[in-house]
């Protein structure tokens, strides 16, 4: 006896709805993942650009630092070389200074010895009977004697200062030396030139004035130191002394008073 067949009826609509829901959920998940991936990619790209920018900045800073380091190293080398040169120059300067000090000591000692004039020579120079006398009174003679003693007793440092002071004075004025010897031959030393000529009293002023005109422009002050030998005739020495008084005024006027001319009669020159 056959069994009766059973019919199974499937309702597909709910399954289809479920399938669509699953597919849509997966689709949404994929879209969300794509969005997250895109955002992550954009963030990664931005990070990469920032990293590239920072790397470029770091490379530029590195190059600048390398340049600064190279310059600093070069400066250090130059400074080291300069310091070596300065040390060498300082050593040479110190050696030169020591040589100058030694020379000054020697010069000072020699000057002190040179100014240690024997007393008999001092008395002869200060002889009141000489014409013209060096000192006009006993008080002036005593001051000169004291000055000689001081110069003889000075140490080398003070003698050097005395010499330097004299040289500074010479820089600001000209000192001419006029000497008449026993044969009536005059020697005029202007520092730059020396003239020798026989003295003719009537022509002396014009002759020396002509020599003055041949010289360069003198300094603002010219001092003529006049000396003569012991055996020079008095008539000659007095005539020349008078001529010098007129000569200095003539030269001053000729210079337009730009130069002052003076003379000093020092008398007999010590032998």
């Amino acid at each position: 006896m056959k069994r009766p067949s059973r019919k199974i009826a499937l309702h597909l609509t709910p399954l289809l709805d479920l399938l669509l829901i699953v597919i849509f959920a997966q689709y949404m998940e994929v879209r969300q993942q794509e969005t997250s991936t895109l955002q992550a990619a954009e963030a990664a790209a931005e990070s990469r650009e920032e990293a590239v920018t920072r790397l470029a900045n770091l490379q530029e800073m590195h190059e600048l630092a390398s340049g600064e380091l190279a310059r600093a190293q070069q400066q250090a080398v130059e400074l080291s070389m300069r310091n070596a040169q300065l040390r060498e120059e300082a050593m040479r300067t110190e050696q030169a200074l020591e040589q100058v000090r030694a020379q000054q000591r020697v010069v000072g000692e020699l000057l002190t010895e040179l100014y240690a004039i024997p007393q008999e020579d001092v008395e002869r120079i200060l002889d009141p009977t000489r014409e013209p006398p060096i000192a006009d009174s006993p008080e002036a003679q005593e001051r000169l004697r004291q000055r000689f003693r001081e110069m003889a007793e000075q140490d080398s440092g003070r003698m050097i200062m005395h010499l330097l002071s004299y040289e500074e004075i010479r820089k600001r004025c000209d000192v001419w030396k006029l000497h008449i010897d026993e044969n009536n031959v005059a020697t005029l030393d202007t520092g730059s030139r020396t003239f020798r000529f026989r003295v003719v009293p009537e022509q002396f002023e014009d002759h020396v004035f002509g020599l003055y005109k041949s010289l360069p422009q003198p300094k603002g002050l010219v001092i003529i130191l006049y000396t003569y030998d012991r055996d020079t005739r008095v008539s000659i020495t007095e005539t020349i002394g008078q001529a010098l008084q007129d000569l200095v005024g003539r030269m001053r006027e000729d210079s337009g008073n730009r130069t002052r001319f003076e003379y000093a009669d020092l008398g007999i020159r010590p032998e």
Side-chain angles (χ1 to χ4, degrees):
M1 181 175 177
K2 294 182 179 180
R3 294 180 180 179
S5 58
R6 295 181 180 179
K7 295 181 179 181
I8 301 173
L10 297 175
H11 297 281
L12 297 177
T13 298
L15 293 175
L16 182 58
D17 292 339
L18 180 61
L19 178 61
L20 291 174
I21 291 172
V22 171
I23 293 173
F24 181 76
Q26 291 179 346
Y27 170 76
M28 293 300 295
E29 184 179 359
V30 170
R31 288 294 302 275
Q32 187 176 3
Q33 290 178 353
E34 287 180 353
T35 301
S36 299
T37 303
L38 182 60
Q39 292 176 349
E42 291 177 351
E46 292 178 357
S47 298
R48 181 178 179 278
E49 291 178 357
E50 292 178 358
V52 170
T53 302
R54 291 181 60 188
L55 179 61
N57 292 335
L58 289 174
Q59 289 177 342
E60 184 178 359
M61 293 174 61
H62 175 71
E63 292 175 358
L64 291 175
S66 298
E68 291 293 334
L69 178 61
R71 284 191 291 272
Q73 290 175 341
Q74 181 64 28
Q75 290 177 355
V77 172
E78 293 175 355
L79 286 175
S80 178
M81 295 175 60
R82 180 58 179 166
N83 287 335
Q85 293 176 353
L86 290 175
R87 285 194 297 270
E88 185 177 354
E89 291 177 0
M91 291 178 61
R92 289 198 299 266
T93 302
E94 182 63 27
Q95 292 174 355
L97 182 60
E98 185 59 33
Q99 291 178 354
V100 170
R101 289 170 179 166
Q103 292 173 353
Q104 286 184 345
R105 286 194 296 269
V106 173
V107 171
E109 292 169 359
L110 289 175
L111 287 173
T112 302
E113 293 178 5
L114 287 174
Y115 279 105
I117 303 174
Q119 185 61 33
E120 57 270 18
D121 291 342
V122 173
E123 296 299 332
R124 181 162 54 85
I125 293 172
L126 298 179
D127 185 359
T129 62
R130 65 177 291 166
E131 291 294 338
I134 293 295
D136 298 331
S137 65
E139 292 79 9
Q141 291 184 10
E142 182 57 32
R143 285 196 299 270
L144 288 175
R145 288 190 180 92
Q146 180 62 28
R147 181 57 178 158
F148 279 122
R149 287 193 293 269
E150 290 175 356
M151 294 175 70
E153 295 171 358
Q154 283 181 354
D155 57 23
S156 60
R158 294 183 64 184
M159 291 304 303
I160 290 171
M161 290 304 300
H162 176 77
L163 182 61
L164 292 177
S165 300
Y166 176 73
E167 287 301 319
E168 286 299 319
I169 294 174
R170 289 294 301 270
K171 291 177 183 178
R172 292 162 174 78
C173 71
D174 289 331
V175 178
W176 295 1
K177 299 176 183 177
L178 174 65
H179 179 73
I180 312 296
D181 67 15
E182 60 183 6
N183 298 315
N184 295 342
V185 175
T187 301
L188 177 62
D189 181 4
T190 66
S192 60
R193 295 182 62 183
T194 300
F195 304 95
R196 286 178 60 84
F197 56 93
R198 182 166 294 279
V199 174
V200 179
E202 297 79 8
Q203 302 174 2
F204 177 81
E205 180 181 338
D206 291 337
H207 186 77
V208 176
F209 185 81
L211 297 178
Y212 147 75
K213 295 292 288 185
S214 70
L215 295 171
Q217 176 66 35
K219 297 183 177 73
L221 173 62
V222 176
I223 301 175
I224 303 175
L225 303 180
Y226 173 41
T227 59
Y228 38 85
D229 288 343
R230 181 179 297 276
D231 296 329
T232 304
R233 287 184 299 174
V234 175
S235 60
I236 294 294
T237 60
E238 291 180 349
T239 300
I240 299 304
Q242 181 61 44
L244 284 173
Q245 294 182 24
D246 300 332
L247 179 63
V248 293
R250 183 178 175 184
M251 290 189 294
R252 184 186 306 118
E253 182 178 355
D254 179 76
S255 70
N257 291 321
R258 292 189 301 272
T259 300
R260 179 182 173 186
F261 291 87
E262 300 290 347
Y263 84 99
D265 188 343
L266 302 183
I268 298 172
R269 185 171 66 181
E271 299 177 355

